[in-house]
Amino acid sequence: MNHQKSIFLLFLFLSALVLKAQDDDGNYITFNDRRNVVHGVYLGIGLGYGEIEGEDTYIGSFKVAYVANRQFEVGFLAKGLYSRQNIFNPRSGENDDLFAGYAGFHLEPILFGRSAVSLSFPLFIGGGAVGYVDRDTIDNEEDFDFDDDDLDAVFVLEPGVSALFNISRFVQIEAGVKYRFSSEIELVDSPIDRINGFSTEIGIKLGIFNMGRNRYKKQLD
């Protein structure tokens, strides 16, 4: 008799626990809130080609950025530019090429960020230095020095349009066209006063573009 009572009491206790758990689960709902921001961060490198005053221009870039909800990027971008101008320098008696290095803010609104292919509108705002270097020095990969006559400060604004190919959660390929606006430069014996010009660029981004799911439980009223 006591054994039967023990089994009955144990059954009641387990039943109470199950009902309690069901009641607790019934007070919550799991859903996907689109207003909840999904974070991301990445490192990117890129190569580009364009023209300055009709001459071949080569571009390299490095970027680190934060991505909000696959809809907007903000970060730091650095670029190096080399243009084979072959301009005669009367001071050195050599033919010089143009180079520039600049860095600043990277801003990029993104459309269709959750699709396999997205559309974005990158914008760079920053500044750096521009100057001339002897072509033989570059071809021979020699070290070179500059004086004040060889360099000038430059401000750069660079808008563009890009296609983003979402390869995986960790890899993204970008390809696009940009136009570079620069402030006026003043270099001795230079026929070029700005480094404006179009460029086509391609790059790869490595990081995490979706740090976790934007799902959570919310208690019902």
Side-chain angles (χ1 to χ4, degrees):
M1 188 68 175
N2 291 333
H3 181 67
Q4 292 178 344
K5 288 183 177 179
S6 298
I7 294 176
F8 180 71
L9 291 175
L10 180 61
F11 175 76
L12 291 179
F13 177 73
L14 293 176
S15 299
L17 288 179
V18 172
L19 291 174
K20 175 62 176 174
Q22 291 178 344
D23 182 63
D24 288 342
D25 289 341
N27 291 332
Y28 294 86
I29 182 171
T30 301
F31 69 102
N32 185 7
D33 186 355
R34 296 183 181 275
R35 295 174 298 176
N36 188 29
V37 176
V38 177
H39 305 283
V41 64
Y42 71 85
L43 297 176
I45 55 175
L47 296 173
Y49 170 81
E51 290 186 351
I52 296 178
E53 299 294 333
E55 300 297 335
D56 293 339
T57 301
Y58 307 94
I59 303 162
S61 65
F62 171 80
K63 176 171 51 177
V64 56
Y66 161 77
V67 188
N69 218 28
R70 297 185 181 180
Q71 295 178 343
F72 188 80
E73 293 183 9
V74 59
F76 170 83
L77 174 64
K79 283 193 169 185
L81 176 153
Y82 175 68
S83 184
R84 297 181 69 84
Q85 293 293 319
N86 198 32
I87 295 173
F88 179 74
N89 186 339
R91 293 181 294 116
S92 65
E94 304 290 343
N95 290 330
D96 289 350
D97 290 331
L98 184 73
F99 76 95
Y102 45 93
F105 293 104
H106 162 75
L107 306 171
E108 187 168 3
I110 302 171
L111 300 178
F112 321 114
R114 302 181 187 279
S115 302
V117 180
S118 308
L119 182 66
S120 69
F121 302 91
L123 174 66
F124 169 82
I125 305 172
V130 60
Y132 286 97
V133 63
D134 176 31
R135 175 173 293 187
D136 291 337
T137 300
I138 295 295
D139 290 341
N140 297 329
E141 299 182 354
E142 299 175 356
D143 295 332
F144 46 86
D145 298 320
F146 300 103
D147 56 36
D148 292 340
D149 292 334
D150 296 321
L151 294 173
D152 193 24
V154 64
F155 172 80
V156 177
L157 176 68
E158 193 173 80
V161 58
S162 296
L164 307 178
F165 302 90
N166 299 301
I167 307 302
S168 73
R169 182 183 174 191
F170 308 102
V171 180
Q172 189 179 81
I173 303 296
E174 61 178 340
V177 178
K178 300 177 181 179
Y179 189 85
R180 182 178 51 260
F181 297 94
S182 84
S183 60
E184 187 173 2
I185 58 177
E186 298 179 357
L187 293 170
V188 176
D189 301 317
S190 173
I192 297 177
D193 57 2
R194 298 180 189 272
I195 59 172
N196 295 355
F198 280 102
S199 63
T200 58
E201 299 184 23
I202 185 170
I204 184 171
K205 302 176 182 179
L206 302 175
I208 302 178
F209 297 93
N210 181 4
M211 290 184 178
R213 302 173 181 175
N214 57 339
R215 295 179 180 273
Y216 64 94
K217 284 186 176 183
K218 181 177 180 180
Q219 188 170 9
L220 297 176
D221 295 332

